[in-house]
């Protein structure tokens, strides 16, 4: 009888755990190192954003499976409601009413203007009338988007922008700073040909949750709660510290 009670109790515990366990899927940028990039086997994501996202959801008892993909596809799947969310996204004039955003930023990053290595310092205003490289599907600050005098030209990746710039096919390129420096570090053929000439802005990045997905609002709220928790308990600071160490 005692054995039967123990077995029944154990089954009830496992049953409760199974019911409480949650697993979700999120899409993430596959080519935005060091913030978010695909692992070598293309089965997972690595970088600052994935580490924060996993920790925040884990604090709320949610396991998140991250799916790497090009950013344009990442956003398209969220737009249609096929996917719950995509990262990393700016809140700007094009996105603010299209998605559900958590109030607390995932992290902040700086965007820079890259140009010829012999170029003079420039500002956003100096890009007017110039051919400026951007990456297809990427979100950019409203200050950049609203200046219609800037002649943008899309390319598939931020690396392709650097290559076009080095070849003289565009005059400038707008890239996230740490990504630009990583590209230069990993591609010696670009060194001495292009460099950062000015800063565009420092912006907050987010997961954009789908308004068309039935669980979009639910998991945006859960993530916000988890993000606040890891900010309070020191987990976020540890992730950020490890990230900075790995940049060296």
């Amino acid at each position: 009888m005692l054995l039967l009670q123990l077995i029944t109790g154990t089954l009830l515990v496992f049953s409760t755990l199974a019911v409480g366990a949650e697993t979700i899927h999120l899409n993430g940028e596959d080519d935005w190192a060091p913030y978010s990039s695909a692992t070598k086997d293309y089965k997972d994501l690595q970088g600052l954003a994935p580490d924060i996202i996993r920790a925040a959801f884990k604090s709320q008892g949610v396991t998140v499976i991250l799916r790497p993909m090009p950013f344009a596809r990442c956003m398209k799947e969220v737009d249609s409601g096929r996917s719950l969310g995509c990262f990393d996204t700016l809140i700007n004039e094009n996105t603010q009413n299209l998605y559900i955003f958590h109030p607390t930023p995932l992290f902040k990053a700086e965007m820079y203007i890259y140009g010829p290595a012999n170029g003079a310092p420039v500002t956003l205003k100096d890009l007017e009338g110039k051919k400026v490289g951007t990456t297809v599907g990427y979100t950019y600050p409203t200050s950049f988007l609203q200046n219609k005098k800037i002649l943008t030209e899309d390319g598939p990746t931020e690396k392709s922008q650097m290559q076009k710039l080095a070849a003289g096919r565009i005059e400038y390129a707008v890239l996230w700073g740490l990504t630009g420096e990583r590209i230069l570090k990993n591609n010696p053929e670009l060194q001495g040909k292009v460099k950062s000439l000015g800063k565009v802005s420092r912006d907050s990045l987010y997961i954009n949750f789908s308004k068309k997905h039935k669980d979009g609002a639910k998991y945006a709220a859960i993530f916000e709660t988890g993000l606040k928790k890891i900010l309070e308990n020191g987990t976020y600071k540890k992730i950020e510290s490890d990230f900075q160490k790995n940049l060296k």
Side-chain angles (χ1 to χ4, degrees), residues 44-221:
D44 201 357
L45 286 158
Q46 59 191 357
L48 178 62
D51 288 348
I52 294 171
I53 291 167
R54 288 190 188 97
F57 274 119
K58 183 179 178 181
S59 76
Q60 302 305 300
V62 178
T63 299
V64 57
I65 296 173
L66 304 177
R67 299 184 296 195
M69 62 184 65
F71 196 70
R73 179 186 162 197
C74 185
M75 297 290 276
K76 188 174 181 180
E77 288 199 357
V78 176
D79 291 344
S80 67
R82 288 177 57 201
S83 295
L84 178 62
C86 172
F87 60 92
D88 309 278
T89 310
L90 284 171
I91 297 178
N92 60 28
E93 60 182 13
N94 295 330
T95 63
Q96 59 186 353
N97 297 319
L98 194 58
Y99 307 106
I100 301 166
F101 289 100
H102 44 95
T104 305
L106 188 56
F107 62 92
K108 293 186 177 183
E110 296 175 332
M111 183 173 281
Y112 285 86
I113 301 165
Y114 282 80
N118 61 354
V122 293
T123 64
L124 203 58
K125 181 74 174 175
D126 296 319
L127 301 185
E128 293 179 358
K130 306 296 184 182
K131 188 183 289 186
V132 180
T134 53
T135 302
V136 64
Y138 272 28
T139 52
Y140 290 90
T142 296
S143 59
F144 178 77
L145 295 174
Q146 287 183 339
N147 194 330
K148 304 305 180 184
K149 294 181 181 179
I150 299 174
L151 311 176
T152 60
E153 182 177 308
D154 273 346
T157 64
E158 290 193 309
K159 180 180 176 180
S160 74
Q161 305 309 324
M162 293 288 234
Q163 292 171 328
K164 287 162 68 176
L165 185 57
R169 292 166 53 198
I170 54 177
E171 295 169 275
Y172 296 100
V174 177
L175 291 87
W176 296 96
L178 290 182
T179 307
E181 295 310 305
R182 176 66 63 91
I183 292 169
L184 289 178
K185 181 180 179 181
N186 293 341
N187 297 273
E189 72 278 7
L190 296 175
Q191 296 171 16
K193 294 181 179 179
V194 298
K195 70 175 184 180
S196 171
L197 298 177
K199 182 173 160 181
V200 176
S201 58
R202 177 175 171 81
D203 298 283
S204 298
L205 283 298
Y206 302 82
I207 304 171
N208 58 302
F209 288 89
S210 176
K211 284 188 173 182
K212 293 183 179 179
H213 193 289
K214 64 181 179 66
D215 292 325
K218 172 185 174 181
Y219 285 103

